Amino acid sequence: MAILITGGAGYIGSHTCIELLEAGYEVVIVDNLCNSSHISLNRVAEITNKTFTFYKMDLMDRAGLESIFARHPIEAVIHFAGLKAVGESVQLPLSYYHTNMTSTLILCEVMKKFEVHKLVFSSSATVYGLPEAVPIAENAALGATNPYGRTKLMLEQILQDLAASDERWGVSILRYFNPIGAHKSGRIGENPNGIPNNLLPYISQVAVGKLTQVNVFGDDYPTPDGTGIRDYIHVVDLAKGHLKALEKIKAGSGVDIYNLGTGRGYSVLEMIAAFEIASGQSIPYAVAERRPGDIAVCFADTEKANRELNWSATRGIEEMCRDSWRWQCSNPSGYEEDSFVLHELAAGNYHKTAQ
Ligand code: NAD
Ligand code: UD1
C-alpha cells in the first residue's frame, strides 16, 4: 500500500518523504513545482537510496489525480500542497482561496470516489489569530487574520464536516508552529523564492552574505527583550510527527487536531544570537517598525500530541540553527543540479518520474 504526498517536493514535504521512505512506506508524490524544485526529490532519493514515484501535476487536475488513484494502491494521503505566504495572500486573495480550497476539495472528492478515507492535513498556528494566552492549546479560540490563515481555518472546518458525514474517514489536522532547520545531510532545506519573509531564512541569508542585515520587526513588544517570541520546531521533528499521525488515523476514525511545536518560545534576538553561535558568523541587525499583523508571543501547548501521538520534538535550537546553516552554506543559491544527480541519472539509478 502507498501513501500519496501532495506538495512532496516542498520544504516540509521533502523532509517527510525521507522519514516515510526510511520507515519503509511506498511513496507517491504529486507536486506542480510552483514553489519547489524537482532537485529536492532527486536529493530525497540520494539520501534514502530508495525509489518512489513522482507526478508533476497540479492538484486541480481532477482527471490526472484520478488516474494516480487508479494506478496506485493508495491507503492514505498527507496533504501539504498549497500556497503559504501571508503577505502574498493579502495581495492575491482569489489565488489563495482558489488554490488552497479548490485543490483540497478535489483531492477529498477523488479520495471519496476511490474509497481512501485517511488524511493528514497541514494546518498552521496561524489559525489561533491573536492568542488570548500562551501556551496555546488546541481548544483555544480560533480567528485567522489574513486570507492564507482563513483558508486553513475553512479547510479545517470542511474536513471536520466530511469526517462527521461518514465514519470511515480518519483525519489528522496538524497545526505547525514555526518550522526551521534542515535534514542533517545539508542536501535538502527551505528554499524561499526571492527575499525571505520568515525570520530564519532571512537570518541565514544574512549569515551567508546574500543580505546585509536582519530587520528586527519591533523591539517594544511586552516580552523580556521587546522582540517577538515564537515556537521554532526542527523540520525533521515535524516530519516525524506526520508518521505518528498517520499511524493513528490508520488505526482509527474521526478527526483529531494536534499542535506540532516544541512548547518553548525564543525571541528574535535570541534567534540571531543562536544563529551567530551555530554559524560562527556575525549577524548585523537593526530594529525596524513592527510588521502589521504580527503578534507578540506564540508557543504551543504540546501535551495532546505528546500523549495521543506519543510524539515530542527532540531537537533543540542549536541543532535547528546548525542544520539550517549547513543547508544554507552548502547551497547558497538554493537547489542546483549537481554532478551526483547527473551521474545517477546516466546510470539509470533514479526515482521514477511518471507521466
Ligand atoms: P512549500 O511551498 O515548500 O511546499 C508546498 C508544495 O506544494 C510546493 O512544493 C508547491 O510546489 C506545491 N503546490 C502548491 N500548490 C500546488 C498545487 N495546486 N498542485 C500541486 N502542488 C502544489 O511549503 P511548506 O513550507 O513545505 O508547507 C507545506 C504545508 O504546510 C503548506 O500547506 C503550508 O501552508 C503549511 N504550513 C507551512 C508552514 C511553514 O512555515 N513552512 C507553517 C504552517 C503551515
Ligand atoms: C509567519 C506567518 C504565519 C505563518 C508562519 C510560519 C505572518 C504575519 N505570519 O509567522 O502565518 O504560519 O510565518 O510560516 O507572516 N521577524 C523579524 N524580521 C524578519 C522576519 C521576521 O523580526 O525579517 C520576526 C517577526 O516579527 C516574528 C518572528 O520574527 O516575531 C518570526 O517571524 P516569521 O518567521 O515570519 O514567523 P511568524 O511571524 O510566526
Side-chain angles (χ1 to χ4, degrees), residues 104-282:
T104 307
L105 289 175
I106 291 173
L107 173 68
C108 290
E109 285 163 2
V110 174
M111 288 175 69
K112 184 169 150 66
K113 178 169 175 180
F114 285 83
E115 302 200 333
V116 177
H117 296 105
K118 306 294 177 186
L119 177 67
V120 178
F121 174 66
S122 299
S123 188
S124 167
T126 198
V127 299
Y128 295 116
L130 241 175
E132 283 163 6
V134 284
I136 309 171
E138 289 83 352
N139 59 5
L142 303 178
T145 56
N146 54 71
Y148 163 70
R150 280 188 274 277
T151 68
K152 293 295 183 193
L153 207 45
M154 287 189 258
L155 287 167
E156 286 197 1
Q157 287 163 349
I158 289 169
L159 295 176
Q160 292 180 65
D161 288 340
L162 181 60
S165 72
D166 180 339
E167 63 183 16
R168 288 175 299 172
W169 282 92
V171 178
S172 193
I173 293 173
L174 303 181
R175 293 179 179 153
Y176 312 153
F177 279 68
N178 290 60
I180 62 168
H183 189 264
K184 62 182 182 321
S185 63
R187 298 290 288 158
I188 63 168
E190 188 170 12
N191 186 29
N193 271 327
I195 296 179
N197 297 312
N198 295 119
L199 181 65
L200 246 288
Y202 202 105
I203 291 178
S204 58
Q205 292 199 10
V206 171
V208 84
K210 285 177 78 177
L211 296 169
T212 51
Q213 64 175 28
V214 178
N215 301 307
V216 176
F217 295 151
D219 68 349
D220 56 353
Y221 284 106
T223 62
D225 65 18
T227 67
I229 291 179
R230 295 291 183 275
D231 185 340
Y232 298 95
I233 173 169
H234 197 297
V235 66
V236 172
D237 280 328
L238 192 67
K240 289 178 184 292
H242 290 73
L243 271 71
K244 296 286 193 177
L246 192 60
E247 283 164 22
K248 179 141 195 291
I249 54 170
K250 277 165 64 182
S253 66
V255 181
D256 284 309
I257 301 180
Y258 298 106
N259 285 338
L260 296 186
T262 64
R264 187 173 165 185
Y266 288 89
S267 74
V268 176
L269 296 183
E270 286 175 317
M271 292 309 289
I272 293 174
F275 209 91
E276 283 189 325
I277 293 169
S279 64
Q281 307 295 310
S282 96

Side-chain angles (χ1 to χ4, degrees), residues 253-316:
S253 66
V255 181
D256 284 309
I257 301 180
Y258 298 106
N259 285 338
L260 296 186
T262 64
R264 187 173 165 185
Y266 288 89
S267 74
V268 176
L269 296 183
E270 286 175 317
M271 292 309 289
I272 293 174
F275 209 91
E276 283 189 325
I277 293 169
S279 64
Q281 307 295 310
S282 96
I283 299 172
Y285 68 86
V287 175
E289 292 291 297
R290 288 184 179 194
R291 181 172 62 181
D294 272 357
I295 53 177
V297 183
C298 175
F299 57 92
D301 180 338
T302 60
E303 192 271 333
K304 187 176 176 202
N306 298 162
R307 181 169 36 85
E308 294 190 10
L309 295 180
N310 188 27
W311 170 90
S312 58
T314 60
R315 290 161 179 77

